[in-house]
Each structure stands twice: as C-alpha cells, then as structure tokens.
PDB file of all heavy atoms in Angstrom:
ATOM      1  N   HIS V   3      27.103 -28.572  25.393  1.00 63.00           N
ATOM      2  CA  HIS V   3      26.563 -27.293  25.838  1.00 63.00           C
ATOM      3  C   HIS V   3      25.068 -27.438  26.068  1.00 63.00           C
ATOM      4  O   HIS V   3      24.462 -28.451  25.730  1.00 63.00           O
ATOM      5  CB  HIS V   3      26.860 -26.194  24.815  1.00 63.00           C
ATOM      6  CG  HIS V   3      26.199 -26.414  23.492  1.00 63.00           C
ATOM      7  ND1 HIS V   3      26.750 -27.203  22.517  1.00 63.00           N
ATOM      8  CD2 HIS V   3      25.037 -25.959  22.988  1.00 63.00           C
ATOM      9  CE1 HIS V   3      25.949 -27.221  21.453  1.00 63.00           C
ATOM     10  NE2 HIS V   3      24.898 -26.469  21.718  1.00 63.00           N
ATOM     11  N   THR V   4      24.452 -26.407  26.645  1.00 68.00           N
ATOM     12  CA  THR V   4      23.003 -26.432  26.858  1.00 68.00           C
ATOM     13  C   THR V   4      22.328 -25.534  25.835  1.00 68.00           C
ATOM     14  O   THR V   4      22.887 -24.526  25.402  1.00 68.00           O
ATOM     15  CB  THR V   4      22.630 -25.964  28.284  1.00 68.00           C
ATOM     16  OG1 THR V   4      23.134 -24.651  28.462  1.00 68.00           O
ATOM     17  CG2 THR V   4      23.217 -26.882  29.338  1.00 68.00           C
ATOM     18  N   GLU V   5      21.129 -25.922  25.423  1.00 66.00           N
ATOM     19  CA  GLU V   5      20.339 -25.135  24.488  1.00 66.00           C
ATOM     20  C   GLU V   5      18.936 -24.981  25.026  1.00 66.00           C
ATOM     21  O   GLU V   5      18.494 -25.756  25.877  1.00 66.00           O
ATOM     22  CB  GLU V   5      20.299 -25.819  23.111  1.00 66.00           C
ATOM     23  CG  GLU V   5      21.614 -25.747  22.375  1.00 66.00           C
ATOM     24  CD  GLU V   5      21.502 -26.234  20.935  1.00 66.00           C
ATOM     25  OE1 GLU V   5      20.380 -26.547  20.480  1.00 66.00           O
ATOM     26  OE2 GLU V   5      22.542 -26.304  20.282  1.00 66.00           O
ATOM     27  N   LEU V   6      18.234 -23.998  24.510  1.00 70.00           N
ATOM     28  CA  LEU V   6      16.863 -23.739  24.906  1.00 70.00           C
ATOM     29  C   LEU V   6      15.955 -24.066  23.734  1.00 70.00           C
ATOM     30  O   LEU V   6      16.181 -23.593  22.618  1.00 70.00           O
ATOM     31  CB  LEU V   6      16.727 -22.262  25.294  1.00 70.00           C
ATOM     32  CG  LEU V   6      15.562 -21.872  26.173  1.00 70.00           C
ATOM     33  CD1 LEU V   6      15.623 -22.616  27.510  1.00 70.00           C
ATOM     34  CD2 LEU V   6      15.572 -20.374  26.418  1.00 70.00           C
ATOM     35  N   TYR V   7      14.949 -24.909  23.935  1.00 71.00           N
ATOM     36  CA  TYR V   7      14.004 -25.271  22.889  1.00 71.00           C
ATOM     37  C   TYR V   7      12.604 -25.218  23.468  1.00 71.00           C
ATOM     38  O   TYR V   7      12.277 -25.950  24.395  1.00 71.00           O
ATOM     39  CB  TYR V   7      14.316 -26.667  22.334  1.00 71.00           C
ATOM     40  CG  TYR V   7      13.358 -27.100  21.257  1.00 71.00           C
ATOM     41  CD1 TYR V   7      13.399 -26.518  19.997  1.00 71.00           C
ATOM     42  CD2 TYR V   7      12.402 -28.081  21.504  1.00 71.00           C
ATOM     43  CE1 TYR V   7      12.525 -26.905  19.009  1.00 71.00           C
ATOM     44  CE2 TYR V   7      11.517 -28.483  20.518  1.00 71.00           C
ATOM     45  CZ  TYR V   7      11.587 -27.888  19.261  1.00 71.00           C
ATOM     46  OH  TYR V   7      10.702 -28.270  18.275  1.00 71.00           O
ATOM     47  N   ARG V   8      11.780 -24.325  22.929  1.00 75.00           N
ATOM     48  CA  ARG V   8      10.398 -24.135  23.393  1.00 75.00           C
ATOM     49  C   ARG V   8      10.321 -23.963  24.907  1.00 75.00           C
ATOM     50  O   ARG V   8       9.503 -24.582  25.584  1.00 75.00           O
ATOM     51  CB  ARG V   8       9.522 -25.292  22.940  1.00 75.00           C
ATOM     52  CG  ARG V   8       9.350 -25.330  21.442  1.00 75.00           C
ATOM     53  CD  ARG V   8       8.315 -26.330  21.042  1.00 75.00           C
ATOM     54  NE  ARG V   8       8.129 -26.290  19.596  1.00 75.00           N
ATOM     55  CZ  ARG V   8       7.259 -27.012  18.954  1.00 75.00           C
ATOM     56  NH1 ARG V   8       6.474 -27.854  19.610  1.00 75.00           N
ATOM     57  NH2 ARG V   8       7.144 -26.926  17.652  1.00 75.00           N
ATOM     58  N   GLY V   9      11.235 -23.167  25.418  1.00 75.00           N
ATOM     59  CA  GLY V   9      11.222 -22.862  26.837  1.00 75.00           C
ATOM     60  C   GLY V   9      11.877 -23.895  27.730  1.00 75.00           C
ATOM     61  O   GLY V   9      12.037 -23.677  28.923  1.00 75.00           O
ATOM     62  N   ALA V  10      12.247 -25.026  27.175  1.00 77.00           N
ATOM     63  CA  ALA V  10      12.880 -26.076  27.979  1.00 77.00           C
ATOM     64  C   ALA V  10      14.380 -26.104  27.679  1.00 77.00           C
ATOM     65  O   ALA V  10      14.791 -26.037  26.517  1.00 77.00           O
ATOM     66  CB  ALA V  10      12.263 -27.431  27.669  1.00 77.00           C
ATOM     67  N   GLU V  11      15.173 -26.186  28.703  1.00 72.00           N
ATOM     68  CA  GLU V  11      16.621 -26.256  28.549  1.00 72.00           C
ATOM     69  C   GLU V  11      17.038 -27.722  28.477  1.00 72.00           C
ATOM     70  O   GLU V  11      16.543 -28.545  29.234  1.00 72.00           O
ATOM     71  CB  GLU V  11      17.293 -25.578  29.751  1.00 72.00           C
ATOM     72  CG  GLU V  11      18.767 -25.346  29.552  1.00 72.00           C
ATOM     73  CD  GLU V  11      19.365 -24.537  30.682  1.00 72.00           C
ATOM     74  OE1 GLU V  11      19.269 -23.296  30.653  1.00 72.00           O
ATOM     75  OE2 GLU V  11      19.928 -25.163  31.595  1.00 72.00           O
ATOM     76  N   TYR V  12      17.904 -28.041  27.534  1.00 68.00           N
ATOM     77  CA  TYR V  12      18.410 -29.414  27.445  1.00 68.00           C
ATOM     78  C   TYR V  12      19.895 -29.401  27.098  1.00 68.00           C
ATOM     79  O   TYR V  12      20.415 -28.429  26.568  1.00 68.00           O
ATOM     80  CB  TYR V  12      17.604 -30.240  26.433  1.00 68.00           C
ATOM     81  CG  TYR V  12      17.735 -29.801  25.000  1.00 68.00           C
ATOM     82  CD1 TYR V  12      18.610 -30.455  24.134  1.00 68.00           C
ATOM     83  CD2 TYR V  12      16.992 -28.742  24.502  1.00 68.00           C
ATOM     84  CE1 TYR V  12      18.737 -30.067  22.826  1.00 68.00           C
ATOM     85  CE2 TYR V  12      17.116 -28.337  23.185  1.00 68.00           C
ATOM     86  CZ  TYR V  12      17.984 -29.005  22.355  1.00 68.00           C
ATOM     87  OH  TYR V  12      18.114 -28.604  21.050  1.00 68.00           O
ATOM     88  N   VAL V  13      20.552 -30.493  27.428  1.00 73.00           N
ATOM     89  CA  VAL V  13      21.998 -30.604  27.242  1.00 73.00           C
ATOM     90  C   VAL V  13      22.294 -31.316  25.932  1.00 73.00           C
ATOM     91  O   VAL V  13      21.721 -32.369  25.649  1.00 73.00           O
ATOM     92  CB  VAL V  13      22.637 -31.372  28.423  1.00 73.00           C
ATOM     93  CG1 VAL V  13      24.134 -31.558  28.206  1.00 73.00           C
ATOM     94  CG2 VAL V  13      22.372 -30.646  29.731  1.00 73.00           C
ATOM     95  N   VAL V  14      23.183 -30.736  25.143  1.00 71.00           N
ATOM     96  CA  VAL V  14      23.680 -31.370  23.924  1.00 71.00           C
ATOM     97  C   VAL V  14      25.060 -31.922  24.277  1.00 71.00           C
ATOM     98  O   VAL V  14      26.020 -31.168  24.413  1.00 71.00           O
ATOM     99  CB  VAL V  14      23.766 -30.366  22.757  1.00 71.00           C
ATOM    100  CG1 VAL V  14      24.346 -31.038  21.526  1.00 71.00           C
ATOM    101  CG2 VAL V  14      22.408 -29.779  22.465  1.00 71.00           C
ATOM    102  N   ASP V  15      25.135 -33.241  24.477  1.00 76.00           N
ATOM    103  CA  ASP V  15      26.393 -33.868  24.890  1.00 76.00           C
ATOM    104  C   ASP V  15      27.383 -34.005  23.740  1.00 76.00           C
ATOM    105  O   ASP V  15      28.579 -33.821  23.912  1.00 76.00           O
ATOM    106  CB  ASP V  15      26.129 -35.263  25.477  1.00 76.00           C
ATOM    107  CG  ASP V  15      25.421 -35.187  26.813  1.00 76.00           C
ATOM    108  OD1 ASP V  15      25.691 -34.237  27.570  1.00 76.00           O
ATOM    109  OD2 ASP V  15      24.602 -36.069  27.090  1.00 76.00           O
ATOM    110  N   PHE V  16      26.886 -34.369  22.568  1.00 81.00           N
ATOM    111  CA  PHE V  16      27.761 -34.610  21.428  1.00 81.00           C
ATOM    112  C   PHE V  16      27.579 -33.496  20.408  1.00 81.00           C
ATOM    113  O   PHE V  16      26.477 -33.248  19.945  1.00 81.00           O
ATOM    114  CB  PHE V  16      27.446 -35.974  20.792  1.00 81.00           C
ATOM    115  CG  PHE V  16      27.722 -37.113  21.714  1.00 81.00           C
ATOM    116  CD1 PHE V  16      26.683 -37.746  22.385  1.00 81.00           C
ATOM    117  CD2 PHE V  16      29.011 -37.550  21.926  1.00 81.00           C
ATOM    118  CE1 PHE V  16      26.938 -38.797  23.243  1.00 81.00           C
ATOM    119  CE2 PHE V  16      29.276 -38.600  22.781  1.00 81.00           C
ATOM    120  CZ  PHE V  16      28.237 -39.220  23.433  1.00 81.00           C
ATOM    121  N   LEU V  17      28.683 -32.857  20.055  1.00 85.00           N
ATOM    122  CA  LEU V  17      28.650 -31.739  19.123  1.00 85.00           C
ATOM    123  C   LEU V  17      28.974 -32.213  17.712  1.00 85.00           C
ATOM    124  O   LEU V  17      29.797 -33.113  17.525  1.00 85.00           O
ATOM    125  CB  LEU V  17      29.668 -30.686  19.561  1.00 85.00           C
ATOM    126  CG  LEU V  17      29.445 -30.147  20.972  1.00 85.00           C
ATOM    127  CD1 LEU V  17      30.613 -29.272  21.389  1.00 85.00           C
ATOM    128  CD2 LEU V  17      28.147 -29.374  21.040  1.00 85.00           C
ATOM    129  N   PRO V  18      28.345 -31.608  16.704  1.00 90.00           N
ATOM    130  CA  PRO V  18      28.630 -32.006  15.323  1.00 90.00           C
ATOM    131  C   PRO V  18      30.037 -31.594  14.918  1.00 90.00           C
ATOM    132  O   PRO V  18      30.478 -30.475  15.197  1.00 90.00           O
ATOM    133  CB  PRO V  18      27.577 -31.258  14.505  1.00 90.00           C
ATOM    134  CG  PRO V  18      27.143 -30.131  15.365  1.00 90.00           C
ATOM    135  CD  PRO V  18      27.342 -30.567  16.781  1.00 90.00           C
ATOM    136  N   LYS V  19      30.735 -32.504  14.285  1.00 94.00           N
ATOM    137  CA  LYS V  19      32.095 -32.272  13.790  1.00 94.00           C
ATOM    138  C   LYS V  19      32.231 -32.892  12.406  1.00 94.00           C
ATOM    139  O   LYS V  19      31.370 -33.654  11.968  1.00 94.00           O
ATOM    140  CB  LYS V  19      33.137 -32.901  14.724  1.00 94.00           C
ATOM    141  CG  LYS V  19      33.118 -32.393  16.150  1.00 94.00           C
ATOM    142  CD  LYS V  19      33.682 -31.005  16.251  1.00 94.00           C
ATOM    143  CE  LYS V  19      33.697 -30.546  17.704  1.00 94.00           C
ATOM    144  NZ  LYS V  19      34.242 -29.218  17.834  1.00 94.00           N
ATOM    145  N   ILE V  20      33.320 -32.601  11.751  1.00 98.00           N
ATOM    146  CA  ILE V  20      33.659 -33.204  10.462  1.00 98.00           C
ATOM    147  C   ILE V  20      34.971 -33.955  10.646  1.00 98.00           C
ATOM    148  O   ILE V  20      35.925 -33.427  11.219  1.00 98.00           O
ATOM    149  CB  ILE V  20      33.835 -32.135   9.366  1.00 98.00           C
ATOM    150  CG1 ILE V  20      32.520 -31.421   9.086  1.00 98.00           C
ATOM    151  CG2 ILE V  20      34.417 -32.743   8.092  1.00 98.00           C
ATOM    152  CD1 ILE V  20      31.468 -32.263   8.398  1.00 98.00           C
ATOM    153  N   LYS V  21      35.004 -35.196  10.159  1.00 98.00           N
ATOM    154  CA  LYS V  21      36.232 -35.982  10.215  1.00 98.00           C
ATOM    155  C   LYS V  21      36.772 -36.128   8.795  1.00 98.00           C
ATOM    156  O   LYS V  21      36.075 -36.608   7.904  1.00 98.00           O
ATOM    157  CB  LYS V  21      35.960 -37.361  10.812  1.00 98.00           C
ATOM    158  CG  LYS V  21      37.187 -38.232  10.917  1.00 98.00           C
ATOM    159  CD  LYS V  21      36.834 -39.568  11.539  1.00 98.00           C
ATOM    160  CE  LYS V  21      38.006 -40.489  11.637  1.00 98.00           C
ATOM    161  NZ  LYS V  21      37.616 -41.796  12.183  1.00 98.00           N
ATOM    162  N   LEU V  22      38.003 -35.690   8.598  1.00 98.00           N
ATOM    163  CA  LEU V  22      38.683 -35.828   7.312  1.00 98.00           C
ATOM    164  C   LEU V  22      39.688 -36.959   7.416  1.00 98.00           C
ATOM    165  O   LEU V  22      40.387 -37.075   8.421  1.00 98.00           O
ATOM    166  CB  LEU V  22      39.444 -34.546   6.967  1.00 98.00           C
ATOM    167  CG  LEU V  22      38.669 -33.242   6.923  1.00 98.00           C
ATOM    168  CD1 LEU V  22      39.632 -32.093   6.734  1.00 98.00           C
ATOM    169  CD2 LEU V  22      37.671 -33.282   5.808  1.00 98.00           C
ATOM    170  N   GLU V  23      39.769 -37.760   6.386  1.00 98.00           N
ATOM    171  CA  GLU V  23      40.771 -38.820   6.319  1.00 98.00           C
ATOM    172  C   GLU V  23      41.491 -38.687   4.985  1.00 98.00           C
ATOM    173  O   GLU V  23      40.854 -38.602   3.941  1.00 98.00           O
ATOM    174  CB  GLU V  23      40.117 -40.191   6.427  1.00 98.00           C
ATOM    175  CG  GLU V  23      39.433 -40.434   7.756  1.00 98.00           C
ATOM    176  CD  GLU V  23      38.705 -41.758   7.794  1.00 98.00           C
ATOM    177  OE1 GLU V  23      39.340 -42.765   8.143  1.00 98.00           O
ATOM    178  OE2 GLU V  23      37.509 -41.768   7.447  1.00 98.00           O
ATOM    179  N   LEU V  24      42.820 -38.639   5.036  1.00 97.00           N
ATOM    180  CA  LEU V  24      43.594 -38.584   3.812  1.00 97.00           C
ATOM    181  C   LEU V  24      44.880 -39.362   3.990  1.00 97.00           C
ATOM    182  O   LEU V  24      45.418 -39.442   5.090  1.00 97.00           O
ATOM    183  CB  LEU V  24      43.892 -37.138   3.406  1.00 97.00           C
ATOM    184  CG  LEU V  24      44.490 -36.194   4.431  1.00 97.00           C
ATOM    185  CD1 LEU V  24      45.450 -35.246   3.734  1.00 97.00           C
ATOM    186  CD2 LEU V  24      43.388 -35.393   5.094  1.00 97.00           C
ATOM    187  N   VAL V  25      45.322 -39.975   2.915  1.00 96.00           N
ATOM    188  CA  VAL V  25      46.590 -40.703   2.915  1.00 96.00           C
ATOM    189  C   VAL V  25      47.525 -39.952   1.980  1.00 96.00           C
ATOM    190  O   VAL V  25      47.181 -39.681   0.827  1.00 96.00           O
ATOM    191  CB  VAL V  25      46.403 -42.169   2.454  1.00 96.00           C
ATOM    192  CG1 VAL V  25      47.749 -42.871   2.366  1.00 96.00           C
ATOM    193  CG2 VAL V  25      45.476 -42.899   3.410  1.00 96.00           C
ATOM    194  N   VAL V  26      48.698 -39.604   2.506  1.00 95.00           N
ATOM    195  CA  VAL V  26      49.666 -38.823   1.730  1.00 95.00           C
ATOM    196  C   VAL V  26      51.041 -39.463   1.827  1.00 95.00           C
ATOM    197  O   VAL V  26      51.326 -40.213   2.755  1.00 95.00           O
ATOM    198  CB  VAL V  26      49.734 -37.354   2.220  1.00 95.00           C
ATOM    199  CG1 VAL V  26      48.419 -36.640   2.008  1.00 95.00           C
ATOM    200  CG2 VAL V  26      50.167 -37.267   3.666  1.00 95.00           C
ATOM    201  N   GLY V  27      51.876 -39.144   0.860  1.00 93.00           N
ATOM    202  CA  GLY V  27      53.267 -39.588   0.901  1.00 93.00           C
ATOM    203  C   GLY V  27      53.994 -38.881   2.042  1.00 93.00           C
ATOM    204  O   GLY V  27      53.564 -37.821   2.507  1.00 93.00           O
ATOM    205  N   ASP V  28      55.091 -39.472   2.471  1.00 94.00           N
ATOM    206  CA  ASP V  28      55.843 -38.900   3.588  1.00 94.00           C
ATOM    207  C   ASP V  28      56.271 -37.455   3.330  1.00 94.00           C
ATOM    208  O   ASP V  28      56.398 -36.663   4.265  1.00 94.00           O
ATOM    209  CB  ASP V  28      57.071 -39.764   3.892  1.00 94.00           C
ATOM    210  CG  ASP V  28      56.676 -41.128   4.449  1.00 94.00           C
ATOM    211  OD1 ASP V  28      55.607 -41.225   5.078  1.00 94.00           O
ATOM    212  OD2 ASP V  28      57.441 -42.092   4.259  1.00 94.00           O
ATOM    213  N   ASP V  29      56.469 -37.088   2.064  1.00 94.00           N
ATOM    214  CA  ASP V  29      56.898 -35.736   1.725  1.00 94.00           C
ATOM    215  C   ASP V  29      55.807 -34.684   1.930  1.00 94.00           C
ATOM    216  O   ASP V  29      56.095 -33.497   2.023  1.00 94.00           O
ATOM    217  CB  ASP V  29      57.400 -35.691   0.278  1.00 94.00           C
ATOM    218  CG  ASP V  29      56.353 -36.166  -0.717  1.00 94.00           C
ATOM    219  OD1 ASP V  29      55.552 -37.046  -0.370  1.00 94.00           O
ATOM    220  OD2 ASP V  29      56.345 -35.650  -1.848  1.00 94.00           O
ATOM    221  N   LEU V  30      54.533 -35.102   2.008  1.00 95.00           N
ATOM    222  CA  LEU V  30      53.427 -34.155   2.161  1.00 95.00           C
ATOM    223  C   LEU V  30      52.838 -34.103   3.569  1.00 95.00           C
ATOM    224  O   LEU V  30      51.914 -33.337   3.817  1.00 95.00           O
ATOM    225  CB  LEU V  30      52.292 -34.509   1.190  1.00 95.00           C
ATOM    226  CG  LEU V  30      52.376 -33.943  -0.214  1.00 95.00           C
ATOM    227  CD1 LEU V  30      51.191 -34.410  -1.056  1.00 95.00           C
ATOM    228  CD2 LEU V  30      52.441 -32.436  -0.204  1.00 95.00           C
ATOM    229  N   VAL V  31      53.361 -34.908   4.483  1.00 97.00           N
ATOM    230  CA  VAL V  31      52.750 -35.000   5.815  1.00 97.00           C
ATOM    231  C   VAL V  31      52.794 -33.667   6.552  1.00 97.00           C
ATOM    232  O   VAL V  31      51.767 -33.163   7.020  1.00 97.00           O
ATOM    233  CB  VAL V  31      53.415 -36.115   6.661  1.00 97.00           C
ATOM    234  CG1 VAL V  31      52.880 -36.110   8.087  1.00 97.00           C
ATOM    235  CG2 VAL V  31      53.176 -37.468   6.026  1.00 97.00           C
ATOM    236  N   GLU V  32      53.980 -33.075   6.667  1.00 97.00           N
ATOM    237  CA  GLU V  32      54.117 -31.821   7.417  1.00 97.00           C
ATOM    238  C   GLU V  32      53.306 -30.697   6.782  1.00 97.00           C
ATOM    239  O   GLU V  32      52.621 -29.945   7.470  1.00 97.00           O
ATOM    240  CB  GLU V  32      55.591 -31.412   7.520  1.00 97.00           C
ATOM    241  CG  GLU V  32      56.410 -32.298   8.434  1.00 97.00           C
ATOM    242  CD  GLU V  32      55.930 -32.286   9.883  1.00 97.00           C
ATOM    243  OE1 GLU V  32      55.532 -31.218  10.381  1.00 97.00           O
ATOM    244  OE2 GLU V  32      55.961 -33.357  10.506  1.00 97.00           O
ATOM    245  N   ALA V  33      53.379 -30.588   5.458  1.00 97.00           N
ATOM    246  CA  ALA V  33      52.636 -29.531   4.764  1.00 97.00           C
ATOM    247  C   ALA V  33      51.134 -29.716   4.933  1.00 97.00           C
ATOM    248  O   ALA V  33      50.393 -28.744   5.094  1.00 97.00           O
ATOM    249  CB  ALA V  33      53.011 -29.516   3.280  1.00 97.00           C
ATOM    250  N   SER V  34      50.674 -30.969   4.915  1.00 97.00           N
ATOM    251  CA  SER V  34      49.248 -31.245   5.100  1.00 97.00           C
ATOM    252  C   SER V  34      48.784 -30.859   6.496  1.00 97.00           C
ATOM    253  O   SER V  34      47.734 -30.232   6.663  1.00 97.00           O
ATOM    254  CB  SER V  34      48.953 -32.729   4.860  1.00 97.00           C
ATOM    255  OG  SER V  34      49.252 -33.102   3.547  1.00 97.00           O
ATOM    256  N   MET V  35      49.564 -31.216   7.504  1.00 98.00           N
ATOM    257  CA  MET V  35      49.202 -30.858   8.873  1.00 98.00           C
ATOM    258  C   MET V  35      49.176 -29.336   9.049  1.00 98.00           C
ATOM    259  O   MET V  35      48.248 -28.799   9.654  1.00 98.00           O
ATOM    260  CB  MET V  35      50.172 -31.493   9.872  1.00 98.00           C
ATOM    261  CG  MET V  35      50.018 -32.992   9.980  1.00 98.00           C
ATOM    262  SD  MET V  35      50.960 -33.726  11.334  1.00 98.00           S
ATOM    263  CE  MET V  35      52.605 -33.154  11.029  1.00 98.00           C
ATOM    264  N   GLU V  36      50.168 -28.653   8.504  1.00 98.00           N
ATOM    265  CA  GLU V  36      50.213 -27.194   8.618  1.00 98.00           C
ATOM    266  C   GLU V  36      49.020 -26.552   7.916  1.00 98.00           C
ATOM    267  O   GLU V  36      48.434 -25.590   8.418  1.00 98.00           O
ATOM    268  CB  GLU V  36      51.520 -26.659   8.053  1.00 98.00           C
ATOM    269  CG  GLU V  36      52.720 -26.969   8.927  1.00 98.00           C
ATOM    270  CD  GLU V  36      54.045 -26.579   8.290  1.00 98.00           C
ATOM    271  OE1 GLU V  36      54.043 -25.773   7.326  1.00 98.00           O
ATOM    272  OE2 GLU V  36      55.080 -27.074   8.752  1.00 98.00           O
ATOM    273  N   ALA V  37      48.648 -27.079   6.745  1.00 98.00           N
ATOM    274  CA  ALA V  37      47.509 -26.532   6.006  1.00 98.00           C
ATOM    275  C   ALA V  37      46.215 -26.714   6.791  1.00 98.00           C
ATOM    276  O   ALA V  37      45.388 -25.795   6.862  1.00 98.00           O
ATOM    277  CB  ALA V  37      47.402 -27.209   4.632  1.00 98.00           C
ATOM    278  N   ILE V  38      46.041 -27.882   7.393  1.00 98.00           N
ATOM    279  CA  ILE V  38      44.836 -28.137   8.187  1.00 98.00           C
ATOM    280  C   ILE V  38      44.799 -27.215   9.403  1.00 98.00           C
ATOM    281  O   ILE V  38      43.767 -26.592   9.702  1.00 98.00           O
ATOM    282  CB  ILE V  38      44.761 -29.621   8.616  1.00 98.00           C
ATOM    283  CG1 ILE V  38      44.571 -30.520   7.405  1.00 98.00           C
ATOM    284  CG2 ILE V  38      43.617 -29.829   9.625  1.00 98.00           C
ATOM    285  CD1 ILE V  38      44.781 -32.004   7.681  1.00 98.00           C
ATOM    286  N   ILE V  39      45.915 -27.111  10.096  1.00 98.00           N
ATOM    287  CA  ILE V  39      45.968 -26.262  11.294  1.00 98.00           C
ATOM    288  C   ILE V  39      45.646 -24.811  10.940  1.00 98.00           C
ATOM    289  O   ILE V  39      44.825 -24.161  11.598  1.00 98.00           O
ATOM    290  CB  ILE V  39      47.348 -26.359  11.976  1.00 98.00           C
ATOM    291  CG1 ILE V  39      47.531 -27.751  12.595  1.00 98.00           C
ATOM    292  CG2 ILE V  39      47.517 -25.272  13.040  1.00 98.00           C
ATOM    293  CD1 ILE V  39      48.952 -28.056  13.021  1.00 98.00           C
ATOM    294  N   LYS V  40      46.274 -24.309   9.896  1.00 98.00           N
ATOM    295  CA  LYS V  40      46.071 -22.912   9.513  1.00 98.00           C
ATOM    296  C   LYS V  40      44.620 -22.654   9.092  1.00 98.00           C
ATOM    297  O   LYS V  40      44.026 -21.647   9.480  1.00 98.00           O
ATOM    298  CB  LYS V  40      47.026 -22.551   8.377  1.00 98.00           C
ATOM    299  CG  LYS V  40      46.998 -21.097   7.994  1.00 98.00           C
ATOM    300  CD  LYS V  40      48.039 -20.788   6.930  1.00 98.00           C
ATOM    301  CE  LYS V  40      47.959 -19.333   6.512  1.00 98.00           C
ATOM    302  NZ  LYS V  40      48.871 -19.012   5.426  1.00 98.00           N
ATOM    303  N   ALA V  41      44.039 -23.558   8.309  1.00 98.00           N
ATOM    304  CA  ALA V  41      42.687 -23.343   7.789  1.00 98.00           C
ATOM    305  C   ALA V  41      41.603 -23.613   8.832  1.00 98.00           C
ATOM    306  O   ALA V  41      40.539 -22.993   8.785  1.00 98.00           O
ATOM    307  CB  ALA V  41      42.460 -24.225   6.562  1.00 98.00           C
TER     308      ALA V  41
END
C-alpha cells in the first residue's frame, strides 16, 4: 500500500505479518486449522 510521510508519498511493498509454526498429531490437525481460521 502507499503511505504519506512528511508530505511525501511512498510505497510499502512488504507488509508486516506473523508466521506461526506448530507440529501437531494427526488427531489435532483439523481442529488446529479451524481454530486458526476462526481466530
């Protein structure tokens, strides 16, 4: 997106995100995905 700083417009190409990594047993995969999606 574009932002304005001290009157000058500039493009922010990369947006801040959070990457989560978790290892779960096969029995928790669907529940984990649903919890992440919902939250």
Side-chain angles (χ1 to χ4, degrees):
H3 64 276
T4 58
E5 288 189 5
L6 201 60
Y7 179 72
R8 293 189 177 183
E11 192 173 277
Y12 66 99
V13 177
V14 177
D15 290 326
F16 296 102
L17 302 172
K19 301 287 182 180
I20 295 290
K21 181 179 179 183
L22 304 173
E23 296 176 88
L24 51 145
V25 176
V26 296
D28 292 332
D29 57 328
L30 274 179
V31 174
E32 289 298 322
S34 298
M35 290 189 306
E36 288 173 18
I38 294 168
I39 291 167
K40 186 176 178 184

